[in-house]
Amino acid sequence: MINVLVADDELPAVEELAFLLGRDERIGAIHRASSGAEALRTLEAEDIDAVFLDIHMPALSGLDIARVISRSAKPPAVVFVTADEDCALEAFELAAVDYLLKPVRAERLARSVGRISELIREGAPAPEMITVDLGGTTKMIRREDVTYVQAQGDYARLHTADASYLIRVPLADLEQQWADAGFLRIHRSYLIALNHVGHLKLAAARPSVTVAGAELPISRRHLPSVREKLGATRIRPQA
């Protein structure tokens, strides 16, 4: 069970979020705070696994509280809840697990709780976040949501299940930086996330791999490394 703290200077917002969280069977105790100071007192007195922080609170903002939390030996997971996206970049620089926009939708909140549950269960670090520009605004996406990357000159286009984003980084640089995160070069124009691979055609005249519904070519040059990498993940019977 995940013990949480909901902090917002507007009481109706606290109660609404607490109500939604209370409907999730993964949530245990729900603590409430209507100010930053009260939130810090609660964190000192109670065993809290995750904090849902409103960013724009007077005196001590949600960002201020997150900075204090980050200095803890065992900090709780932090989820920011706000009515705007202006602080998204700074929020994720503070290793936030998620960033929820008001009004909070139940299904979106459930996904956030799922991420917290996964972090607690596996003891995993906060997810790697990527800054992208979209229509003149800055947005943060999780690297684990990237299914494949496509080269576009000196740029790279990150594909996710919902959209694609152009970043000013060459594909060769991402190949080196993301190798340990499960990304594999299959073609001069493509880098794929192995955990999103669906189907493979390695023995075909034109070898290819299907990633999140997109069939991508495997070049002759990269075919041996693809075979080797995928062969290492294959389950074999014990001798």
Side-chain angles (χ1 to χ4, degrees):
M1 303 294 283
I2 303 171
N3 297 327
V4 302
L5 167 63
V6 178
D8 195 310
D9 61 312
E10 297 182 1
L11 186 57
V14 172
E15 293 302 328
E16 180 181 1
L17 188 54
F19 171 75
L20 292 175
L21 287 166
R23 296 167 59 184
D24 194 314
E25 60 184 11
R26 295 167 294 186
I27 298 297
I30 301 175
H31 302 274
R32 298 164 172 81
S34 57
S35 69
E38 186 180 0
L40 291 178
R41 288 195 297 268
T42 304
L43 285 167
E44 290 180 358
E46 305 292 343
D47 184 16
I48 305 294
D49 299 307
V51 186
F52 289 80
L53 292 172
D54 177 37
I55 288 182
H56 300 295
M57 290 188 290
L60 284 173
S61 70
L63 295 172
D64 294 330
I65 297 169
R67 293 188 188 98
V68 174
I69 290 174
S70 68
R71 296 194 288 267
S72 303
K74 189 180 178 182
V78 173
V79 175
F80 287 107
V81 185
T82 182
D84 60 67
E85 298 186 21
D86 293 344
C87 299
L89 181 57
E90 188 173 0
F92 284 113
E93 287 176 346
L94 290 169
V97 173
D98 211 347
Y99 193 92
L100 301 179
L101 291 176
K102 297 178 180 179
V104 178
R105 295 180 289 111
E107 61 273 19
R108 181 65 181 84
L109 180 62
R111 281 171 27 211
S112 186
V113 172
R115 292 174 180 175
I116 295 168
S117 179
E118 182 180 346
L119 290 175
I120 293 174
R121 183 174 61 252
E122 299 180 359
E128 180 78 18
M129 305 302 299
I130 305 163
T131 305
V132 298
D133 293 324
L134 185 64
T137 62
T138 299
K139 183 176 181 179
M140 306 296 292
I141 63 171
R142 294 156 62 97
R143 181 171 63 183
E144 64 190 50
D145 291 336
V146 177
T147 56
Y148 69 94
V149 187
Q150 182 178 8
Q152 293 193 344
D154 292 332
Y155 292 75
R157 182 167 294 279
L158 310 180
H159 292 265
T160 69
D162 302 320
S164 68
Y165 309 92
L166 195 64
I167 61 173
R168 197 189 298 264
V169 180
L171 191 66
D173 289 358
L174 290 181
E175 178 185 5
Q176 295 180 359
Q177 296 172 22
W178 291 6
D180 293 339
F183 284 80
L184 178 66
R185 187 75 172 264
I186 63 166
H187 189 277
R188 66 180 181 181
S189 298
Y190 295 105
L191 181 70
I192 64 169
L194 291 173
N195 63 329
H196 287 286
V197 169
H199 303 287
L200 289 164
K201 295 179 182 177
L202 299 183
R206 293 183 179 179
S208 65
V209 58
T210 300
V211 182
E215 186 173 359
L216 308 175
I218 302 174
S219 69
R220 184 172 299 179
R221 173 189 171 190
H222 290 92
L223 184 57
S225 62
V226 173
R227 288 185 185 277
E228 180 182 357
K229 186 69 174 181
L230 294 174
T233 64
R234 186 171 297 158
I235 299 175
R236 296 179 173 84
Q238 293 183 342

